[in-house]
Amino acid sequence: MCLSDFVRAAMFVVCLFLAKLSVFADKKEFMDTTLALDGINVVREYKPYIEVIPAQKLEGEQLQRLNSHSVADAVRYFSGVQLKDYGGVGGVKTLDIRSMGTNHMGVFYDGIQLGNAQNGQIDLGRFSLDNIEEVSLYNGQKSDIFQPAKDYGSAGTIYLRTRRPQFDEGKRTNAKFILRSGSLGLIDPSVLIEQKLSENVSASVNAEYIYADGKYKFRYKKVFSDGTIAWDTTAVRENGDLHSLRIEGGLYGKMKGGKWNAKIYFYDSERGIPGAIVNNVWKTSQRQWDRNFFMQGAFQKKINSWYEMLVSAKYALDKMRYLNPDTTLMYLDNRFKQGEVYVSLANKFKMTNSWEFNASVDNIWNTLDASLTNFVYPTRYSALVALATAYKSKEWKVQASVLGTFVVDKSTATSGTGSETERIKRFSEYTPAVFVSYKPVESFPLNFRAYYKKIFRMPTFNDLYYTDIGNANLKPEYVSQYNWGFQYQSALNCGILSGLSARADAYYNEVTDKIIAVPKGTGQYRWMMMNIGRVKIRGIDVNAQARLILPYDIESSINVSYTYQRAQDYSDPTDNEPGAGTYKGQIAYIPWHNGSVVVHLDYRKVEINYSFIYVGERYHNSSNIPANYEQPWYTHDFSAGYSFDVGKAKMKLSAEVNNLLNQYYDVIVNYPMPGRNYKLILKIEI
């Protein structure tokens, strides 16, 4: 960690304290905690306020009501998020937060990060909401220092918390059955069984099967910059079928001063890859097979009044096969196998009632095997050490951390004579973070917050070692993050309004040494990964929520989010040709404006849900010219449900209409999304 990082962090905190002193010179006015009333001392109870950097969350019933099946569909409603969706039920779905890149997003499943050393991307489409209790999105990092070191190692994080069994008094078994069917040939049954094994131990099993032929109509239209139409036709999307099976099992235990859990996960799928609509090719024949397995566990125990420990471990094995049988392009039948072993120990020390300290150590082993010619079979060992501290008072909440990352990569290259050469590459870095939250008036629910964080992401195995395009000399990709914001949250009870919250954040991010593919040599047909990218990102995120109590026993909630982003490419100052250059252009697929509106209505046993998503104009290349322009798109989704009882079974029948106005659009250019589509859902809980 360089001196400038410490200076920036220190200046950041000093400025905030000076601002506080200048505005509130008379601190005593806000420190009184006791009032005298006719000889009776009334002491105001201090209630800890919200997190230093609060998360955007979807949980419980709110999560289930969205017209969403996978985690990827649900996170579209968060501000500051860009979802890359290649279309259909089986299309790969990855997430980018605040334009920093998909690989800077950490995805945690029950507290342990999902890894992909091969390409760094997690397909969120393979995680169903049927077994998810909460989805949380954090900018910077989670506002809890008692975490494994891995939690400090991403620019942004998504936490997926699965359902932990809860039983009514006298009940030992819970069962939930869900059946979905609808457009795109969808048949999707799932089952969840929870069993109480003892007073302190419970188990759950969740299984889901998805079949879809993936066929849907789309409109293919090309408009020239002068407004004339080149072509406009309607066709059917082919080779987008999906067959998948997901099985999860969990054990959950509690003890005096602690808890533990163990989980096993298996996912097996075969899918068609419909490909891009280019050169008048409407159907492709590529296929992909995925088989993902992991088992993980965590043990948390409070040893005494000042020390608590958290032990986590995981083993993962992922296999993938990609087949392109089209010999007119290039026949490919590539197979990959990657393994991961992860162990972690976190130690939290309670120094005083207001001050805590955490020390975490993680160790990770990653391997990759592939059927590629001249592959180097890399192995990566990573050690992460995190030191963090947290202080809180009635007005202030401060967290600071330093993450040390130590990486050793080993690879084996085979020469033309058959001799093998082992290459060892070492890397180490220290990265700081400072988070501050300030509440000026105890009785008024308004908080101000700010943070600075520097972090990086290691090049993936594909970046470094993929045959012919990999570059073993790549450096990590660095991000500096600055954030300023506020949050107002109140349980108002004024007329029909029963709750109101609002939050806004302004931020500046800078990505340096960005890894991008550039032409290799004089031709455009061979490429190599290089550290020449640089991106500057300025943005504003706004969220507002309200709960309403309406006449005739109607309850309602409204959630509105909006994001403005200016994400510019500063990679090559010489590429500034007017009307064609990329310098200072908005980077690919980042809209200037996007937002969403979600409305829920409850009337006794009937619920109605409406959601609207808008993504503004953008370009599919940093060269912001008319040929690269992508039009805005929006969708209206609507659903209605009715709950009823049959004996002891609780049942719910729902109907969904997605893309109500049949908007034809692409999230990724030449990958058309489905138009209007339908879904029927039957849920039975026993």
Side-chain angles (χ1 to χ4, degrees), residues 308-506:
E308 191 171 358
M309 64 181 295
L310 172 64
V311 180
S312 308
K314 176 182 177 180
Y315 168 74
L317 180 64
D318 297 328
K319 296 181 179 180
M320 191 265 277
R321 178 190 176 196
Y322 170 77
L323 174 66
N324 180 12
D326 189 350
T327 56
T328 61
L329 297 173
M330 179 184 291
Y331 179 84
L332 292 174
D333 190 357
N334 294 336
R335 300 167 190 258
F336 302 90
K337 181 173 70 174
Q338 58 175 314
E340 178 178 299
V341 177
Y342 168 83
V343 292
S344 171
L345 173 63
N347 307 272
K348 185 176 75 170
F349 302 89
K350 186 176 181 180
M351 315 302 286
T352 68
N353 288 335
S354 302
W355 179 28
E356 295 178 339
F357 177 80
N358 179 70
S360 302
V361 179
D362 292 7
N363 289 277
I364 310 105
W365 293 265
N366 295 104
T367 61
L368 180 64
D369 190 1
S371 61
L372 302 176
T373 304
N374 299 324
F375 194 64
V376 298
Y377 306 101
T379 299
R380 173 173 292 175
Y381 166 71
S382 305
L384 291 84
V385 180
L387 302 177
T389 187
Y391 170 80
K392 64 180 180 180
S393 68
K394 294 178 180 179
E395 295 175 307
W396 291 94
K397 217 172 186 182
V398 181
Q399 293 181 2
S401 63
V402 175
L403 174 67
T405 304
F406 311 93
V407 179
V408 178
D409 274 9
K410 293 183 179 180
S411 57
T412 304
T414 304
S415 66
T417 61
S419 61
E420 294 185 349
T421 302
E422 184 178 69
R423 176 171 180 169
I424 299 178
K425 188 175 181 181
R426 303 178 187 276
F427 169 84
S428 62
E429 183 65 282
Y430 298 89
T431 49
V434 179
F435 298 79
V436 179
S437 175
Y438 173 63
K439 186 176 184 180
V441 182
E442 181 185 357
S443 60
F444 190 70
L446 177 66
N447 294 72
F448 297 95
R449 55 175 180 259
Y451 72 82
Y452 163 76
K453 181 176 183 177
K454 184 172 184 179
I455 201 61
F456 66 94
R457 68 102 170 171
M458 287 295 295
T460 66
F461 283 159
N462 279 0
D463 293 335
L464 293 165
Y465 308 117
Y466 199 92
T467 301
D468 199 43
I469 69 169
N471 181 359
N473 296 314
L474 286 174
K475 296 181 292 184
E477 190 176 287
Y478 286 87
V479 174
S480 295
Q481 299 172 263
Y482 303 85
N483 187 99
W484 305 265
F486 74 89
Q487 175 156 334
Y488 172 85
Q489 184 170 336
S490 177
L492 292 174
N493 191 1
C494 178
I496 63 172
L497 188 64
S498 66
L500 178 66
S501 67
R503 54 185 290 172
D505 288 272

Side-chain angles (χ1 to χ4, degrees), residues 136-425:
S136 305
L137 173 67
Y138 286 87
N139 294 301
Q141 63 196 36
K142 193 173 184 179
S143 297
D144 182 357
I145 65 169
F146 189 34
Q147 301 292 338
K150 259 286 192 182
D151 291 53
Y152 298 87
S154 300
T157 50
I158 282 187
Y159 285 84
L160 310 178
R161 180 160 58 86
T162 60
R163 172 169 162 163
R164 196 177 182 100
Q166 300 288 337
F167 300 92
D168 294 335
E169 186 176 353
K171 194 174 182 182
R172 301 188 65 86
T173 303
N174 295 330
K176 181 170 70 171
F177 305 92
I178 301 177
L179 177 62
R180 299 179 180 88
S181 184
S183 303
L184 287 71
L186 177 67
I187 300 176
D188 177 11
S190 71
V191 58
L192 171 67
I193 305 294
E194 299 174 336
Q195 183 65 42
K196 187 175 184 179
L197 303 179
S198 69
E199 288 302 314
N200 295 321
V201 180
S202 58
S204 70
V205 176
N206 179 223
E208 179 181 25
Y209 173 75
I210 299 177
Y211 167 78
D213 61 30
K215 295 181 180 180
Y216 56 88
K217 290 183 178 180
F218 68 94
R219 186 177 181 181
Y220 190 48
K221 183 178 181 180
K222 175 67 175 180
V223 181
F224 290 123
S225 57
D226 62 1
T228 59
I229 298 177
W231 57 77
D232 187 356
T233 187
T234 301
V236 175
R237 194 72 159 140
E238 302 280 356
N239 197 41
D241 60 294
L242 172 69
H243 307 255
S244 71
L245 174 66
R246 177 183 57 86
I247 302 175
E248 296 182 56
L251 282 174
Y252 307 87
K254 56 184 179 180
M255 68 195 83
K256 184 178 180 180
K259 60 183 179 180
W260 59 269
N261 69 80
K263 178 174 286 290
I264 188 169
Y265 175 97
F266 175 78
Y267 178 82
D268 185 79
S269 72
E270 176 187 352
R271 72 186 72 195
I273 302 176
I277 305 297
V278 293
N279 298 326
N280 215 27
V281 175
W282 303 90
K283 181 179 180 181
T284 58
S285 52
Q286 289 93 342
R287 309 287 299 175
Q288 181 173 316
W289 292 261
D290 291 280
R291 182 168 292 177
N292 308 101
F293 168 82
F294 67 78
M295 54 183 181
Q296 66 181 43
F299 176 87
Q300 182 176 338
K301 174 70 173 176
K302 187 173 184 179
I303 305 301
N304 50 44
S305 61
W306 55 270
Y307 174 64
E308 191 171 358
M309 64 181 295
L310 172 64
V311 180
S312 308
K314 176 182 177 180
Y315 168 74
L317 180 64
D318 297 328
K319 296 181 179 180
M320 191 265 277
R321 178 190 176 196
Y322 170 77
L323 174 66
N324 180 12
D326 189 350
T327 56
T328 61
L329 297 173
M330 179 184 291
Y331 179 84
L332 292 174
D333 190 357
N334 294 336
R335 300 167 190 258
F336 302 90
K337 181 173 70 174
Q338 58 175 314
E340 178 178 299
V341 177
Y342 168 83
V343 292
S344 171
L345 173 63
N347 307 272
K348 185 176 75 170
F349 302 89
K350 186 176 181 180
M351 315 302 286
T352 68
N353 288 335
S354 302
W355 179 28
E356 295 178 339
F357 177 80
N358 179 70
S360 302
V361 179
D362 292 7
N363 289 277
I364 310 105
W365 293 265
N366 295 104
T367 61
L368 180 64
D369 190 1
S371 61
L372 302 176
T373 304
N374 299 324
F375 194 64
V376 298
Y377 306 101
T379 299
R380 173 173 292 175
Y381 166 71
S382 305
L384 291 84
V385 180
L387 302 177
T389 187
Y391 170 80
K392 64 180 180 180
S393 68
K394 294 178 180 179
E395 295 175 307
W396 291 94
K397 217 172 186 182
V398 181
Q399 293 181 2
S401 63
V402 175
L403 174 67
T405 304
F406 311 93
V407 179
V408 178
D409 274 9
K410 293 183 179 180
S411 57
T412 304
T414 304
S415 66
T417 61
S419 61
E420 294 185 349
T421 302
E422 184 178 69
R423 176 171 180 169
I424 299 178
K425 188 175 181 181

Side-chain angles (χ1 to χ4, degrees), residues 623-675:
S623 178
N624 296 171
I625 60 177
N628 297 329
Y629 177 79
E630 294 296 315
Q631 292 183 340
W633 62 265
Y634 56 87
T635 61
H636 299 266
D637 301 328
F638 177 84
S639 69
Y642 177 73
S643 301
F644 57 98
D645 296 337
V646 177
K648 295 183 178 181
K650 298 180 179 179
M651 307 186 71
K652 182 179 178 181
L653 184 62
S654 304
E656 296 180 2
V657 182
N658 300 307
N659 197 354
L660 183 65
L661 301 184
N662 202 31
Q663 165 93 349
Y664 289 104
Y665 66 99
D666 296 1
V667 176
I668 304 298
V669 64
N670 295 326
Y671 284 84
M673 299 291 290

Side-chain angles (χ1 to χ4, degrees), residues 548-556 601-606:
L548 307 174
I549 305 297
L550 303 174
Y552 306 106
D553 298 327
I554 299 175
E555 296 183 10
S556 177
L601 289 174
D602 279 325
Y603 173 70
R604 298 179 182 176
K605 296 183 178 182
V606 177

